[in-house]
Amino acid sequence: MKTALVTGSSGFVGRHMTAELKARGWQVTGCDVVDLDGRPRALDALQIFRLDDSPRYDLVVHCAARAPHRAAIDGQPMNLPYNLQLDSAMFDWAVRTGQQRVLYLSSSAVYPVLLQEGFPRRRLHESATDMAHGIEPDAAYGWTKWTGEKMAAAAAAVGLAVHVVRPFSGYGEDQATDWPFGAFVDRARRREDPFVIWGSGDQVRDWIHISDVVAGALAVVDADVRVPVNLCTGLGTRMYDLVDMIRKQAGYRPTIFIDPDRPEGVAYRVGDPDRFWSIYQPKVSLEEGVARAMRQGAPA
């Protein structure tokens, strides 16, 4: 039986990754600072990474990160050193203990902010991460993931099999309200009126269902692709239009309140899907994802 370690296993991506690996017959060990009920775990990822006698897993899926949502990205800069420590400890441990391979969950936040503002609007290709001439990724979280990718390359240079994926705006039925999709669905379930959208409402995102994030990432591993891969659809949808889809599914027409004083993020973040689509084709449309979410209970 194949074995996997999933870090951040109580988080949104981590718990879906754990469930999918188990469904495929893998033996999965999860680690997080808390379990699914919010209780502290006996060992979190940093504690495991200090061990020299760890089992040798067939796959280490590194999902763990502290608060990778917009409010924290903009408002909690001290997450930067914690997340850097987490990633560096993981790669050091993986090399030191001879792990078989690592799937590193990077982020679309690695792409330079200047490529996501103004015109012309462009899809972000995997090559568009040049930080020369003062072009920077999206806030401290983007720097963390960009640096994590550099650590991944260093680990690969000494023989570790590493796969790097860059999810765009992952969403799903059980997403927490710290993320836009989860917050919108929660507001619609409670039939809030007015319905609040942070920022201008015109910011565009590339929404990819969590099932496609997980299946797509594992397809990258199965294909043994060792260059970064966008997990995306290549389709952009405004926050305002997403809210319109959600409120129609909920069957009500609230007043929309645009709150320009809340974090908005970049104007246009849509991935170039060509590399991804040569490996895996997303299965769940945004319309279907919204319908699934509105049929489910409250988000966890």
Side-chain angles (χ1 to χ4, degrees), residues 139-153:
Y141 185 69
W143 274 115
T144 299
K145 290 303 186 181
W146 185 79
T147 306
E149 291 193 17
K150 297 302 179 185
M151 295 180 198

PDB file of all heavy atoms in Angstrom, residues 139-153:
ATOM      1  N   ALA A 139       2.213  40.465  -1.951  1.00  0.00           N
ATOM      2  CA  ALA A 139       2.357  40.618  -0.504  1.00  0.00           C
ATOM      3  C   ALA A 139       3.295  39.563   0.084  1.00  0.00           C
ATOM      4  O   ALA A 139       3.996  38.849  -0.622  1.00  0.00           O
ATOM      5  CB  ALA A 139       0.989  40.595   0.172  1.00  0.00           C
ATOM      6  N   ALA A 140       3.311  39.480   1.422  1.00  0.00           N
ATOM      7  CA  ALA A 140       4.221  38.573   2.108  1.00  0.00           C
ATOM      8  C   ALA A 140       3.932  37.118   1.754  1.00  0.00           C
ATOM      9  O   ALA A 140       4.852  36.303   1.651  1.00  0.00           O
ATOM     10  CB  ALA A 140       4.124  38.782   3.619  1.00  0.00           C
ATOM     11  N   TYR A 141       2.664  36.781   1.557  1.00  0.00           N
ATOM     12  CA  TYR A 141       2.320  35.397   1.224  1.00  0.00           C
ATOM     13  C   TYR A 141       2.912  35.012  -0.133  1.00  0.00           C
ATOM     14  O   TYR A 141       3.424  33.898  -0.308  1.00  0.00           O
ATOM     15  CB  TYR A 141       0.808  35.212   1.222  1.00  0.00           C
ATOM     16  CG  TYR A 141       0.391  33.778   1.001  1.00  0.00           C
ATOM     17  CD1 TYR A 141       0.637  32.817   1.973  1.00  0.00           C
ATOM     18  CD2 TYR A 141      -0.250  33.378  -0.168  1.00  0.00           C
ATOM     19  CE1 TYR A 141       0.273  31.492   1.780  1.00  0.00           C
ATOM     20  CE2 TYR A 141      -0.620  32.058  -0.366  1.00  0.00           C
ATOM     21  CZ  TYR A 141      -0.364  31.125   0.617  1.00  0.00           C
ATOM     22  OH  TYR A 141      -0.722  29.811   0.418  1.00  0.00           O
ATOM     23  N   GLY A 142       2.842  35.912  -1.094  1.00  0.00           N
ATOM     24  CA  GLY A 142       3.443  35.646  -2.393  1.00  0.00           C
ATOM     25  C   GLY A 142       4.946  35.437  -2.287  1.00  0.00           C
ATOM     26  O   GLY A 142       5.516  34.547  -2.934  1.00  0.00           O
ATOM     27  N   TRP A 143       5.607  36.265  -1.452  1.00  0.00           N
ATOM     28  CA  TRP A 143       7.045  36.086  -1.229  1.00  0.00           C
ATOM     29  C   TRP A 143       7.332  34.730  -0.596  1.00  0.00           C
ATOM     30  O   TRP A 143       8.304  34.055  -0.940  1.00  0.00           O
ATOM     31  CB  TRP A 143       7.589  37.194  -0.322  1.00  0.00           C
ATOM     32  CG  TRP A 143       7.978  38.440  -1.055  1.00  0.00           C
ATOM     33  CD1 TRP A 143       7.408  39.671  -0.959  1.00  0.00           C
ATOM     34  CD2 TRP A 143       9.035  38.576  -2.013  1.00  0.00           C
ATOM     35  NE1 TRP A 143       8.027  40.573  -1.796  1.00  0.00           N
ATOM     36  CE2 TRP A 143       9.032  39.923  -2.453  1.00  0.00           C
ATOM     37  CE3 TRP A 143       9.973  37.694  -2.545  1.00  0.00           C
ATOM     38  CZ2 TRP A 143       9.943  40.407  -3.393  1.00  0.00           C
ATOM     39  CZ3 TRP A 143      10.889  38.171  -3.486  1.00  0.00           C
ATOM     40  CH2 TRP A 143      10.861  39.516  -3.890  1.00  0.00           C
ATOM     41  N   THR A 144       6.492  34.309   0.344  1.00  0.00           N
ATOM     42  CA  THR A 144       6.677  33.008   0.983  1.00  0.00           C
ATOM     43  C   THR A 144       6.661  31.898  -0.053  1.00  0.00           C
ATOM     44  O   THR A 144       7.542  31.032  -0.080  1.00  0.00           O
ATOM     45  CB  THR A 144       5.567  32.745   2.013  1.00  0.00           C
ATOM     46  OG1 THR A 144       5.605  33.735   3.032  1.00  0.00           O
ATOM     47  CG2 THR A 144       5.724  31.376   2.644  1.00  0.00           C
ATOM     48  N   LYS A 145       5.658  31.907  -0.904  1.00  0.00           N
ATOM     49  CA  LYS A 145       5.516  30.830  -1.873  1.00  0.00           C
ATOM     50  C   LYS A 145       6.593  30.895  -2.950  1.00  0.00           C
ATOM     51  O   LYS A 145       7.080  29.857  -3.427  1.00  0.00           O
ATOM     52  CB  LYS A 145       4.113  30.860  -2.487  1.00  0.00           C
ATOM     53  CG  LYS A 145       3.015  30.456  -1.502  1.00  0.00           C
ATOM     54  CD  LYS A 145       3.273  29.066  -0.937  1.00  0.00           C
ATOM     55  CE  LYS A 145       2.139  28.576  -0.061  1.00  0.00           C
ATOM     56  NZ  LYS A 145       2.418  27.222   0.492  1.00  0.00           N
ATOM     57  N   TRP A 146       6.981  32.105  -3.357  1.00  0.00           N
ATOM     58  CA  TRP A 146       8.064  32.248  -4.335  1.00  0.00           C
ATOM     59  C   TRP A 146       9.364  31.683  -3.751  1.00  0.00           C
ATOM     60  O   TRP A 146      10.102  30.953  -4.417  1.00  0.00           O
ATOM     61  CB  TRP A 146       8.219  33.719  -4.716  1.00  0.00           C
ATOM     62  CG  TRP A 146       9.220  33.967  -5.805  1.00  0.00           C
ATOM     63  CD1 TRP A 146       9.042  33.787  -7.151  1.00  0.00           C
ATOM     64  CD2 TRP A 146      10.556  34.454  -5.645  1.00  0.00           C
ATOM     65  NE1 TRP A 146      10.181  34.133  -7.831  1.00  0.00           N
ATOM     66  CE2 TRP A 146      11.118  34.549  -6.936  1.00  0.00           C
ATOM     67  CE3 TRP A 146      11.310  34.831  -4.545  1.00  0.00           C
ATOM     68  CZ2 TRP A 146      12.422  34.995  -7.144  1.00  0.00           C
ATOM     69  CZ3 TRP A 146      12.616  35.281  -4.751  1.00  0.00           C
ATOM     70  CH2 TRP A 146      13.159  35.362  -6.036  1.00  0.00           C
ATOM     71  N   THR A 147       9.616  32.012  -2.482  1.00  0.00           N
ATOM     72  CA  THR A 147      10.805  31.484  -1.816  1.00  0.00           C
ATOM     73  C   THR A 147      10.691  29.980  -1.632  1.00  0.00           C
ATOM     74  O   THR A 147      11.682  29.243  -1.770  1.00  0.00           O
ATOM     75  CB  THR A 147      11.006  32.171  -0.457  1.00  0.00           C
ATOM     76  OG1 THR A 147      11.019  33.590  -0.646  1.00  0.00           O
ATOM     77  CG2 THR A 147      12.306  31.733   0.206  1.00  0.00           C
ATOM     78  N   GLY A 148       9.488  29.481  -1.309  1.00  0.00           N
ATOM     79  CA  GLY A 148       9.271  28.042  -1.200  1.00  0.00           C
ATOM     80  C   GLY A 148       9.604  27.321  -2.492  1.00  0.00           C
ATOM     81  O   GLY A 148      10.162  26.212  -2.479  1.00  0.00           O
ATOM     82  N   GLU A 149       9.268  27.937  -3.619  1.00  0.00           N
ATOM     83  CA  GLU A 149       9.610  27.326  -4.904  1.00  0.00           C
ATOM     84  C   GLU A 149      11.118  27.280  -5.109  1.00  0.00           C
ATOM     85  O   GLU A 149      11.648  26.337  -5.713  1.00  0.00           O
ATOM     86  CB  GLU A 149       8.921  28.066  -6.045  1.00  0.00           C
ATOM     87  CG  GLU A 149       7.407  27.880  -6.068  1.00  0.00           C
ATOM     88  CD  GLU A 149       6.766  28.351  -7.356  1.00  0.00           C
ATOM     89  OE1 GLU A 149       7.507  28.524  -8.360  1.00  0.00           O
ATOM     90  OE2 GLU A 149       5.539  28.528  -7.391  1.00  0.00           O
ATOM     91  N   LYS A 150      11.828  28.303  -4.626  1.00  0.00           N
ATOM     92  CA  LYS A 150      13.287  28.285  -4.699  1.00  0.00           C
ATOM     93  C   LYS A 150      13.850  27.166  -3.818  1.00  0.00           C
ATOM     94  O   LYS A 150      14.821  26.490  -4.185  1.00  0.00           O
ATOM     95  CB  LYS A 150      13.861  29.636  -4.276  1.00  0.00           C
ATOM     96  CG  LYS A 150      13.458  30.794  -5.178  1.00  0.00           C
ATOM     97  CD  LYS A 150      13.872  30.556  -6.621  1.00  0.00           C
ATOM     98  CE  LYS A 150      13.454  31.706  -7.528  1.00  0.00           C
ATOM     99  NZ  LYS A 150      13.754  31.425  -8.953  1.00  0.00           N
ATOM    100  N   MET A 151      13.248  26.970  -2.650  1.00  0.00           N
ATOM    101  CA  MET A 151      13.652  25.848  -1.793  1.00  0.00           C
ATOM    102  C   MET A 151      13.378  24.521  -2.492  1.00  0.00           C
ATOM    103  O   MET A 151      14.188  23.587  -2.401  1.00  0.00           O
ATOM    104  CB  MET A 151      12.892  25.892  -0.474  1.00  0.00           C
ATOM    105  CG  MET A 151      13.172  27.083   0.404  1.00  0.00           C
ATOM    106  SD  MET A 151      12.172  26.967   1.913  1.00  0.00           S
ATOM    107  CE  MET A 151      12.235  28.671   2.491  1.00  0.00           C
ATOM    108  N   ALA A 152      12.247  24.425  -3.178  1.00  0.00           N
ATOM    109  CA  ALA A 152      11.911  23.205  -3.915  1.00  0.00           C
ATOM    110  C   ALA A 152      12.970  22.910  -4.974  1.00  0.00           C
ATOM    111  O   ALA A 152      13.399  21.757  -5.144  1.00  0.00           O
ATOM    112  CB  ALA A 152      10.538  23.340  -4.562  1.00  0.00           C
ATOM    113  N   ALA A 153      13.411  23.951  -5.681  1.00  0.00           N
ATOM    114  CA  ALA A 153      14.441  23.769  -6.701  1.00  0.00           C
ATOM    115  C   ALA A 153      15.756  23.325  -6.081  1.00  0.00           C
ATOM    116  O   ALA A 153      16.478  22.482  -6.639  1.00  0.00           O
ATOM    117  CB  ALA A 153      14.626  25.069  -7.482  1.00  0.00           C
TER     118      ALA A 153
END
